[in-house]
Amino acid sequence: MELTLNNGVTMPAIGLGVFQSAPEQTTAAVEAALATGYRHIDTAAAYGNEREVGDGIRRSGLDRSEVFIETKVWVSDYGYDQTLHAWDKATGKLGVDYLDLLILHQPAPDRFEKTIAAYKALEALLADGRVRAIGVSNFMPHHLRQLLDATNVVPAVNQIELHPYFAQPDVQAADAEHGILTQAWSPIGGITFYPGWGEERRNVMEDPAIAAIAGTHGKSPAQVMLRWHLQQGRSAIPKSTNPSRIAENFDVFDFELSTDELAAIDALDTGNRNGPDPDQARPERFAMVIPEA
């Protein structure tokens, strides 16, 4: 299943996420995903595994043009020239000469002028053909307004925390208003752990309402949640390094949720995020240096 971005580029709706995938596990996970049928891999400079993603793509035997590669610029590389160089670092590690989608990892409102400069560098990379689409991650509606007021290219994608317990309808609405595709990280919720955030969280995978829907369709809770994203027009990037789970997360194209089932999942939203608040400055984390190689 393909989604069409606002500049006409198409992107596979389901991608493999590799956040918190150890470098030594990432190559095999990417290789397993591509063997299963995935054609979209999502990584980031801050994950420290771009090189292993590139290795997995090469080991798959697939042509570069067959795999949609998405990565992210970290905050320490914000600024016009720094972000142009971040492209050099990312493509060097991945072993490619262009990126399909390059996005800014955080709005970093404590230094938003550098965020704007970084996005203008993405615009230049897009104009040069060094990236096929550009976007943002973790941008709230007010961040989007500030960005759109200061730049020329509407982001193609906004990647945000999004699962049944935290659906961010206000962000989804702002994205839709501007023709920005909403992409879900932590799309099945409750799996990824952020130290210092969401310690009291409940695991969405154990929700009885989702379990009941899963039983009706003979599917797993994870598959039901991924189907919910797809039917509502979102991109989702489930993370796993387990080959059977990677395959399970891709097996979501042979059933359909009813209107009532979609509404029942929508009704689970608690409004509580598990990950960091994008409006909170994290100077120590933002200062993390991305290595040259």
Side-chain angles (χ1 to χ4, degrees), residues 231-245:
Q231 285 185 226
Q232 294 185 340
R234 292 185 292 275
S235 165
I237 45 168
K239 176 257 173 171
S240 181
T241 56
N242 179 313
S244 63
R245 288 284 163 79

Side-chain angles (χ1 to χ4, degrees), residues 7-58:
N7 65 350
V9 168
T10 58
M11 178 180 76
I14 296 279
L16 176 75
V18 296
F19 175 59
Q20 291 183 337
S21 295
E24 61 272 15
Q25 295 178 308
T26 300
T27 299
V30 169
E31 204 174 352
L34 295 174
T36 296
Y38 289 73
R39 291 296 180 267
H40 175 187
I41 309 294
D42 171 79
T43 182
Y47 300 171
N49 56 18
E50 287 172 311
R51 183 176 304 285
E52 289 74 20
V53 166
D55 289 343
I57 292 169
R58 280 184 293 280

Side-chain angles (χ1 to χ4, degrees), residues 187-210:
I188 54 181
I191 302 302
T192 304
F193 177 64
Y194 288 83
W197 299 89
E199 270 81 0
E200 303 303 313
R201 71 196 184 289
R202 294 179 295 145
N203 187 341
V204 195
M205 296 279 270
E206 297 167 1
D207 189 274
I210 292 175

Side-chain angles (χ1 to χ4, degrees), residues 73 77-85 87 102-104 112-128 130-131 134-136 139 146-155:
V73 180
D77 282 336
Y78 283 9
Y80 190 85
D81 291 335
Q82 298 96 312
T83 297
L84 292 179
H85 185 56
W87 180 92
L102 184 59
I103 66 180
L104 301 183
F112 205 72
E113 70 290 342
K114 293 196 85 168
T115 305
I116 296 294
Y119 193 81
K120 288 182 175 178
L122 297 191
E123 291 180 320
L125 291 165
L126 180 68
D128 288 349
R130 287 185 279 174
V131 299
I134 60 176
V136 295
F139 272 53
Q146 287 176 272
L147 182 79
L148 293 168
D149 284 347
T151 58
N152 296 312
V153 177
V154 176

Side-chain angles (χ1 to χ4, degrees), residues 140-163:
M140 301 295 100
H142 54 287
H143 305 135
L144 286 173
R145 282 194 301 273
Q146 287 176 272
L147 182 79
L148 293 168
D149 284 347
T151 58
N152 296 312
V153 177
V154 176
V157 165
N158 185 15
Q159 185 187 115
I160 58 171
E161 179 184 350
L162 206 165
H163 46 79

